[in-house]
Amino acid sequence: MALHEAPLTFLFTDVEGSTRLWEQHPQQMQSALERHEVLLRSAIADVNGDVVKTTGDGLMAVFGLPTAAVSAALSAQRALLGESWPARCAIRVRMGIHTGEAEARGGDFFGPAVNRAARIMAVGHGGQILLSGATAVLLDGGLPATATLRDLGEHRLKDLGRPEHLFQLADRDLPSEFPPLATLDRRPNNLPTQASAFVGRDSVLHDLRERLDDAAVRLVTLTGPGGTGKTRLALRAAADQIDRFTDGVFFVDLVTATDGDAVLALVAAAVGLADTTERSPLNELRRHFRSQQVLLVLDNFEQVTVAGPVLLDLLADCPSLKLLVTSRQALRVRGENVVSVPPLSLPAGADHATTAVELSQFEAIQLFVERARTVRSDFRLTDDNASAVAEICRRLDGLPLAIELATARMNLFSPEALRDRLGSRLKLLGGGARDLPARQQTLRATIEWSYLLLEPAEQRLFELLSVFAGSSVEAVEAVATGLDEAAGIELDALDSLSSLLDKSLVRQADTTGGDQAPRIVMLETIREYAAEQLGARAEFAATVRDRHALYFVEYAADASKASADLDGSASSDPVALESDNLRLAWRHWVAKRDLERLKQLKAVLWPLYDRRGWYHSTVEVIRDMLGVLVALPDRSDHWQEELTLRTSLARALTLLRGYTGEAEDEYAGALALLQEHPDVPLLFPVLRSLASFHGFRGEIDKGIEYGNQILRLADSEGDPSMRVDGNFIIGSNTGFGGHLERGLGHLDEAIRAFESDGFRPRRFRLGLDVRVSCLTTSAFFFWLLGLPDRAVERADRAVTLATELDHPYSLAYGLFHSGFLHLWRREPELVAARATAAIRVAEASEIPIWRALGTCLLGAATSALGRPAEGLRQITDGLEQYQDLRTPPVFWPFIRFLQSGAHVEAGMPGPGFPLIDEAIQMGGPTNPIAPLFHIVRGDLSMGGPSPDVAKATACYEHALAMAGQLDARTPQLRAAARLCRIATPEDRPARLDALRAVHATFSEGLSTPDLVEAAELLAQASE
């Protein structure tokens, strides 16, 4: 078997749309295809061409001269065009022609020329004939008189390393206009250009095509052990799908990702979205993909399988998005289609196929030969070396990664020598790690073999790299510098790193920022092996891990300094880029119980986690710090730090899971610690957390007390951001305590402060941004005070600000409170929109409290929109979520208000009375919202088949009086209008006078339902 002496010309054909035709017209298709093949074979035989094989619904033919191939193609297209096909089953064939050298074996041809001819055919359309530049040059005026060549320019073809200059063969008797070629240039994509040919996998590719063509299949996961070629297979399958996805096919390497947020950030970068660190990546991707037809290839997902639900969220909102995932394990999520990727096909054993022709039919052998030629261009599979090649592939279990690592050394060894060296390494491992799967043992042997070929200095750097979760070259240099003594040899980081890159033991990966240098990464299987080798050198390993952890402490300090004069989000890029390494350093210093270094890392990790809403990670950091503190021999000097951590932990748990028993226990522990030191001034985070705790419990006076302490602390430290918090705490508690104007004054002062030039938010926050809560709370107070338009303006500003901050908790909070304001304004459509948006944010960021409250609010909107039964079901659903959370009591009256209001809309007053009575009891007589509770009770009394006018009147009168005392003019107006509607003729003049007096105090919001209703009542009375 040898290279053919002269160049050959290859013709590939394929029926366009054959899958669809088979499905729609199976009987007609059978006869049509048979006739199609007869016509093709006849045209080929007429010019002395040979049909090599059939390929699905097409065929492959070979010719000694390019002019013969061109004549056969033209004759075949004329015959196909003139044929009378069965109804709705016309056969249209695309054809590709290329000329080059190829290897003949077993009645078939192999080599790049064959692959290129097939790829040229694949980009054409039915009825079209495409030629390569090589074939066009060789024709040199040898075209038939009726034929011409149309220059189509250069195009990138699937799975080929270099572009191809393509020509269309046109003839006056054939159609000449076709759609654009289905090349990689046609659709947006970032599929990497492959420098080597793709080998085998025909059956798996066919399976993937069928699944991805199925409209019901949205998520396909390729599974298999490391080294099975999942990535390359996914890229090939994606390239085959390019013409189906009009908005693009994009590859996303997740090798550096460790959680769902990192996955989303990498996806955003791959599809060209602008930096999303200041916005929610999930929301940005939803908006981007919602109306697009896109295929995403997510590679190396096994290390972030917890992010599987995030993919479902994205798919649910983006109906034309499909995902092709590679992972060592299934994601185990709904709708997942799992495709197991087997090793490449192998000969069963040495006693079976032994000749080169027989062995060349197996995929593993084909890959070995193809890759070996990239190292030694003169390599051929012969009967002499075939058995050695087969033995190598068998011992490597047909794993592509192992085969590629082995063939990289073909410049040093013959196949027989390579087999012998590999065999000795397998024996070396024979006495250990027998509990591992066999395929991992063989892959381990392959990596070890490559490792032992390294120079000692390269080995030490290889081991050192295992401590990184991806790295910059600068970081590797910094950690390696000064390690010569521990390594036992002089280290040259750059030279060794360059060698490791060349030998494919490490690789470069682009970062999410286009202006940043690529990062050095290891495949996971290789990194695991490197870590084992490092662990075998205890002293060196300890030194390397210390140096890595020290480097990232210094990195954290630099990042913290860099952001000291900027907005708190300015450090997000460098910190997020190295978040995995920072976490590794964190765990190292936790194990060392080094409190000071942990504080330095916390200074950058905590703000990052809060910006991203990673409260699970925040809880982990706090608990680690507490564990270190508690273990100190004498922690008496650290009690304030412990108090801060405990109150922060309670706050984080509340944000993450609601006001649970766990959160309450942490607050109780913090209060107990506080009682041991009653006379010591408290730190701001403690004061803020304790104010929140008492606010949750509705303990207004204690909340105001802590707010005043914060203001005193702000004055002593000259910290304007503290003043914002202090004024918010005092203002909200004062207003809800019955003094609306006074409370609004504090809130307005806080808003002026944070909207002034030079204001900088505190870097160490946890949870809700106080600026958002200032705006929503003042919106409530404005509405109660009779300023409904200013109320909406404040609420809208809150949502806008929260969106700009890209802070999920603050956004869900702002959306809910804006929706609640619109409920008071009797605008159910807007309520539904805000509630739905709040639920989406809460679900995406796993914030159960706002999912529960948002569901209740949506139920109230649904009821007001005329679907009370559905609304009550939604409220019940939300209540079940809410009660399970033991969420703060301060919200409970609001929920009962929503629920009882839905019973009014449903005309079912009976169940509503105990609900509103509970709200009245919990709200208290000084709560400015309490008049609304009494109005709802009056509405319930008027509901049902037998309205109780007397009870309703009493409720409305109580609400009117209470609202007047609290200066809550909008509830006062609503109560006065209700009294007018049910007044007796004798009482009506007095009721109208009361309504007229309240109505006259309003200067805005005249088009809102409450004021329109009042104006109509007054107008009717004057007629």
Side-chain angles (χ1 to χ4, degrees):
M1 177 176 54
L3 197 68
H4 205 276
E5 292 182 0
L8 298 172
T9 300
F10 297 94
L11 167 68
F12 277 78
T13 74
D14 181 62
V15 176
E16 184 179 61
S18 61
T19 301
R20 173 181 53 79
L21 292 172
W22 271 115
E23 290 179 350
Q24 295 179 355
H25 314 290
Q27 293 181 345
Q28 297 96 318
M29 189 61 172
Q30 179 68 42
S31 60
L33 271 184
E34 291 175 356
R35 180 59 181 161
H36 138 272
E37 186 170 337
V38 168
L39 295 175
L40 289 180
R41 287 181 178 274
S42 176
I44 293 167
D46 286 344
V47 293
N48 298 316
D50 293 313
V51 174
V52 179
K53 61 184 176 182
T54 57
T55 55
D57 295 324
L59 52 77
M60 169 189 173
V62 62
F63 303 84
L65 295 173
T67 52
V70 166
S71 295
L74 288 171
S75 295
Q77 290 288 19
R78 292 191 193 104
L80 292 165
L81 185 63
E83 184 68 14
S84 297
W85 299 105
R88 298 184 300 278
C89 202
I91 299 296
R92 304 183 75 234
V93 176
R94 52 190 167 203
M95 300 180 180
I97 300 174
H98 175 60
T99 304
E101 296 179 341
E103 183 175 343
R105 45 181 145 98
D108 202 350
F109 291 86
F110 301 88
V114 177
N115 298 332
R116 191 163 291 268
R119 298 265 49 100
I120 290 171
M121 176 274 296
V123 303
H125 301 278
Q128 189 173 31
I129 306 170
L130 297 176
L131 279 65
S132 68
T135 301
V137 169
L138 292 172
L139 288 172
D140 190 26
L143 287 174
T146 59
T148 58
L149 287 181
R150 179 179 297 177
D151 191 339
L152 302 180
E154 288 196 339
H155 293 267
R156 284 182 63 208
L157 305 183
K158 301 170 187 176
D159 209 46
L160 298 184
R162 60 179 173 81
E164 179 61 57
H165 196 153
L166 296 180
F167 294 81
Q168 178 181 313
L169 179 60
D171 187 273
R172 67 188 181 193
D173 298 324
L174 297 174
S176 60
E177 299 301 323
F178 300 93
L181 300 181
T183 62
L184 296 183
D185 314 274
R186 181 182 174 191
R187 307 290 193 199
N189 75 91
N190 69 342
L191 298 182
T193 299
Q194 301 302 316
S196 57
F198 183 85
V199 175
R201 304 294 195 191
D202 290 341
S203 62
V204 183
L205 283 170
H206 182 265
D207 183 18
L208 287 174
R209 277 193 292 271
E210 287 190 338
R211 292 174 189 258
L212 291 172
D213 285 342
D214 188 345
V217 175
R218 307 285 308 287
L219 170 60
V220 178
T221 304
L222 299 179
T223 63
T228 51
K230 299 183 294 293
T231 300
R232 189 64 185 273
L233 176 62
L235 286 170
R236 174 58 180 268
D240 287 342
Q241 293 286 322
I242 266 190
D243 55 342
R244 285 196 56 244
F245 291 86
T246 56
D247 297 297
V249 176
F250 298 94
F251 176 76
V252 187
D253 189 351
L254 303 179
V255 72
T256 60
T258 56
D259 52 40
D261 296 275
V263 171
L264 296 174
L266 289 169
V267 172
V271 300
L273 287 183
D275 183 8
T276 60
T277 55
E278 298 300 317
R279 303 176 302 282
S280 165
L282 181 59
N283 289 339
E284 288 295 304
L285 290 171
R286 281 171 169 159
R287 284 192 287 269
H288 183 75
F289 291 134
R290 187 163 289 138
S291 60
Q292 291 198 345
Q293 191 174 22
V294 169
L295 173 65
L296 290 181
V297 181
L298 304 180
D299 192 36
N300 294 306
F301 208 89
E302 60 270 0
Q303 55 198 2
V304 282
T305 52
V306 294
V310 177
L311 300 186
L312 291 187
D313 288 343
L314 201 55
L315 288 172
D317 288 330
C318 308
S320 297
L321 174 67
K322 290 199 177 192
L323 304 178
L324 179 58
V325 176
T326 74
S327 176
R328 291 194 183 186
Q329 62 187 68
L331 277 57
R332 300 188 183 279
V333 294
R334 289 176 290 107
E336 181 184 28
N337 276 247
V338 178
V339 177
S340 178
V341 180
L344 297 173
S345 62
L346 284 164
D351 57 343
H352 287 75
T354 56
T355 68
V357 171
E358 291 172 327
L359 290 173
S360 65
Q361 308 306 308
F362 296 96
E363 293 173 335
I365 308 296
Q366 294 169 13
L367 179 66
F368 186 100
V369 172
E370 200 281 335
R371 297 298 188 262
R373 284 180 180 168
T374 65
V375 180
R376 285 176 49 186
S377 60
D378 63 340
F379 178 79
R380 296 288 180 270
L381 186 69
T382 67
D383 288 345
D384 292 333
N385 64 24
S387 61
V389 171
E391 182 64 17
I392 291 170
C393 292
R394 275 194 296 267
R395 292 185 182 183
L396 298 179
D397 284 347
L399 295 175
L401 173 61
I403 292 172
E404 295 203 15
L405 287 171
T407 55
R409 294 295 176 259
M410 282 293 292
N411 61 335
L412 298 176
F413 305 109
S414 67
E416 293 79 5
L418 183 59
R419 175 197 58 195
D420 293 340
R421 293 179 69 87
L422 187 61
S424 67
R425 297 305 174 266
L426 289 170
K427 293 176 184 177
L428 186 64
L429 287 174
R434 291 185 179 273
D435 58 326
L436 290 173
R439 62 179 180 272
Q440 290 187 10
Q441 294 180 26
T442 55
L443 184 57
R444 185 186 304 278
T446 306
I447 299 171
E448 181 178 41
W449 171 77
S450 297
Y451 167 79
L452 292 176
L453 288 176
L454 298 174
E455 296 296 329
E458 294 173 347
Q459 289 180 340
R460 297 296 84 76
L461 191 74
F462 174 73
E463 295 159 1
L464 178 148
L465 288 171
S466 70
V467 304
F468 287 90
S471 63
S472 63
V473 173
E474 292 76 15
V476 175
E477 280 190 289
V479 172
T481 300
L483 283 180
D484 294 357
E485 183 177 350
I489 193 170
E490 182 178 352
L491 296 180
D492 187 322
L494 288 181
D495 281 353
S496 295
L497 191 57
S498 178
S499 177
L500 294 174
L501 282 165
D502 290 341
K503 295 170 182 175
S504 301
L505 286 169
V506 297
R507 59 195 178 110
Q508 290 184 309
D510 291 336
T511 58
T512 56
D515 58 342
Q516 295 175 323
R519 290 172 65 78
I520 304 300
V521 298
M522 276 182 162
L523 293 174
E524 186 180 343
T525 50
I526 297 176
R527 184 183 174 204
E528 288 174 2
Y529 178 84
E532 288 181 3
Q533 298 307 304
L534 179 66
R537 303 175 183 276
E539 183 177 348
F540 182 53
T543 304
V544 167
R545 291 179 181 123
D546 274 344
R547 292 294 299 273
H548 172 274
L550 279 170
Y551 174 84
F552 283 102
V553 165
E554 294 170 1
Y555 182 95
D558 291 342
S560 183
K561 290 176 184 176
S563 63
D565 298 324
L566 300 169
D567 184 288
S569 63
S571 65
S572 61
D573 283 347
V575 175
L577 181 65
E578 295 292 1
S579 61
D580 292 338
N581 280 307
L582 290 166
R583 286 172 180 169
L584 290 172
W586 175 269
R587 295 186 189 112
H588 180 84
W589 296 121
V590 168
K592 295 275 188 179
R593 300 191 181 282
D594 192 321
L595 188 61
E596 293 308 310
R597 290 192 169 105
L598 289 174
K599 289 179 182 178
Q600 289 177 279
L601 289 170
K602 188 189 78 168
V604 293
L605 287 175
W606 194 319
L608 172 68
Y609 294 165
D610 186 59
R611 284 195 303 273
R612 301 295 180 86
W614 297 347
Y615 296 126
H616 289 285
S617 298
T618 303
V619 168
E620 179 184 352
V621 163
I622 297 172
R623 283 183 165 152
D624 285 344
M625 288 281 286
L626 283 171
V628 173
L629 275 174
V630 170
L632 292 175
D634 180 13
R635 69 178 199 267
S636 58
D637 293 338
H638 296 279
W639 76 269
Q640 279 208 345
E641 191 168 4
E642 182 180 349
L643 178 62
T644 301
L645 288 170
R646 291 196 181 281
T647 53
S648 297
L649 177 58
R651 187 176 174 87
L653 289 169
T654 302
L655 295 169
L656 187 61
R657 300 172 190 143
Y659 189 67
T660 62
E662 185 181 19
E664 193 169 35
D665 289 345
E666 292 297 339
Y667 275 121
L671 291 171
L673 188 60
L674 184 62
Q675 290 173 357
E676 297 176 12
H677 305 274
D679 300 323
V680 180
L682 298 179
L683 300 175
F684 167 72
V686 177
L687 292 170
R688 185 190 60 191
S689 294
L690 291 174
S692 297
F693 169 68
H694 291 296
F696 287 151
R697 296 168 63 90
E699 297 169 347
I700 288 174
D701 291 341
K702 289 184 178 179
I704 292 174
E705 177 186 338
Y706 283 116
N708 281 314
Q709 288 188 49
I710 289 174
L711 286 182
R712 290 193 292 271
L713 184 62
D715 290 339
S716 67
E717 296 188 9
D719 189 332
S721 65
M722 280 190 198
R723 292 196 62 82
V724 173
D725 280 273
N727 275 306
F728 167 71
I729 291 166
I730 296 171
S732 58
N733 281 286
T734 299
F736 284 119
H739 304 285
L740 288 170
E741 290 281 5
R742 197 190 314 164
L744 185 60
H746 283 282
L747 294 174
D748 284 344
E749 185 174 344
I751 292 169
R752 284 193 296 271
F754 72 67
E755 290 186 339
S756 64
D757 292 337
F759 172 81
R760 291 184 304 175
R762 296 182 63 83
R763 294 185 63 241
F764 288 94
R765 296 208 59 87
L766 185 59
L768 175 64
D769 191 287
V770 69
R771 292 170 288 180
V772 175
S773 49
C774 281
L775 291 167
T776 57
T777 305
S778 63
F780 277 17
F781 291 177
F782 271 129
W783 185 83
L784 290 166
L785 286 167
L787 300 166
D789 291 344
R790 268 176 269 188
V792 169
E793 185 269 337
R794 284 279 171 96
D796 288 347
R797 282 168 60 191
V799 173
T800 300
L801 175 61
T803 302
E804 292 171 352
L805 293 172
D806 186 27
H807 194 266
Y809 193 93
S810 298
L811 181 56
Y813 177 98
L815 288 166
F816 172 83
H817 284 77
S818 173
F820 207 99
L821 174 67
H822 286 294
L823 184 71
W824 281 350
R825 285 170 52 102
R826 297 161 60 184
E827 297 164 332
E829 293 87 355
L830 294 175
V831 180
R834 291 301 203 198
T836 300
I839 293 168
R840 290 167 69 91
V841 172
E843 289 178 343
S845 302
E846 298 181 7
I847 312 174
I849 180 175
W850 295 118
R851 184 181 63 240
L853 292 172
T855 303
C856 290
L857 183 61
L858 181 60
T862 302
S863 297
L865 288 168
R867 305 192 305 276
E870 181 184 348
L872 284 170
R873 285 195 299 271
Q874 290 171 330
I875 293 174
T876 300
D877 180 23
L879 282 170
E880 289 175 354
Q881 300 175 40
Y882 189 93
Q883 290 171 319
D884 289 343
L885 297 171
R886 286 185 58 203
T887 313
V890 68
F891 288 119
W892 195 244
F894 287 82
I895 300 303
R896 289 309 195 202
F897 168 76
L898 292 177
Q899 197 176 13
S900 54
H903 281 284
V904 172
E905 298 290 346
M908 300 167 54
F913 283 110
L915 302 175
I916 199 62
D917 287 344
E918 185 179 356
I920 290 170
Q921 181 181 2
M922 294 185 70
T926 61
N927 190 326
I929 301 172
L932 294 173
F933 301 161
H934 289 280
I935 291 172
V936 170
R937 199 179 198 289
D939 292 344
L940 289 167
S941 298
M942 290 299 297
S946 303
D948 192 329
V949 177
K951 287 185 177 180
T953 299
C955 291
Y956 296 147
E957 286 178 339
H958 190 76
L960 183 69
M962 180 181 289
Q965 293 170 0
L966 296 169
D967 200 23
R969 286 188 291 136
T970 305
Q972 189 179 16
L973 180 75
R974 187 172 292 179
R978 294 287 204 280
L979 286 168
C980 284
R981 288 199 178 278
I982 63 171
T984 62
E986 296 79 12
D987 294 336
R988 188 168 179 76
R991 299 300 192 197
L992 287 168
D993 288 343
L995 177 62
R996 188 175 292 106
V998 179
H999 184 264
T1001 66
F1002 281 81
S1003 58
E1004 66 178 52
L1006 301 181
S1007 62
T1008 59
D1010 281 305
L1011 283 157
V1012 168
E1013 178 187 9
E1016 288 175 351
L1017 287 169
L1018 294 172
Q1020 292 169 5
S1022 63
E1023 292 176 356

